[in-house]
Amino acid sequence: IFAYGVTYYELLTGKHPFTARDSRAVFYKITHEEPAPVRSLAPECPEALEQLVTRALQKEREFRYQSLRELQLDAEPIFIELRQQRAAERIGTLLEEVSAKVAGEDLDGAQALLTEAADLEPANRTVRQLREDVQARLLRRRLQPRIDAQLAKSQAALDEGRYAEALQACESALVLDRENATVQTRVE
């Protein structure tokens, strides 16, 4: 457990907790001195993780974790919280990029970024709503050539006086996109 604490300390701070010029001095530090607090060397380290490392490095065996499983049970919630924080930060960055892509009409790029954000946090309502909006816009974009073709067919039929055929073509376009204002105006 102590060695595990030393490894954690080194990973977090980039330094050995008991640095000295020779092995005798290292042994003395291990048995008589406390290492510098983790947060004094790595201020961004969560306090709970610092406490975990400090407990793993206790000089008296009784005050240390009694098993790696016990240490793991304390470490896992800390790591989950860190992953969630990192995911939230990444999602914030992704949403900024999505806004820029949507503004530039790069809907495919926006959808890819939203998929990445959904992978990070599937229950995020903002991500889900934006993803649905982008998917709806992409669908309308894919359907637009078919709608335009139906509208052209309708106009040609109108020009030739075939009103029933013109109305049928407009209704076909309306089936493809009920919210299309141009189609709604033509049908009326």
Side-chain angles (χ1 to χ4, degrees), residues 12-105:
L12 293 169
T13 67
K15 298 179 184 227
H16 192 281
F18 305 103
T19 303
R21 62 187 178 283
D22 58 49
S23 59
R24 181 184 275 169
V26 169
F27 184 73
Y28 177 83
K29 283 187 169 196
I30 289 172
T31 56
H32 294 93
E33 294 181 12
E34 295 298 323
V38 171
R39 289 167 48 102
S40 70
L41 300 170
E44 69 282 357
C45 177
E47 187 176 338
L49 187 54
E50 179 182 49
Q51 290 170 356
L52 182 143
V53 172
T54 300
R55 184 173 171 194
L57 290 173
Q58 288 295 308
K59 308 254 182 261
E60 297 297 325
R61 194 177 294 225
E62 293 77 25
F63 296 124
R64 280 185 228 144
Y65 287 98
Q66 298 303 301
S67 69
L68 280 176
R69 178 68 179 138
E70 187 181 347
L71 187 146
Q72 181 185 18
L73 288 172
D74 281 354
E76 193 59 33
I78 297 167
F79 296 144
I80 289 170
E81 186 176 323
L82 287 171
R83 281 192 293 270
Q84 288 172 340
Q85 285 175 346
R86 199 171 352 155
E89 290 168 4
R90 178 66 181 138
I91 287 171
T93 301
L94 288 170
L95 291 179
E96 289 174 11
E97 292 176 30
V98 165
S99 293
K101 292 206 179 280
V102 168
E105 290 297 316

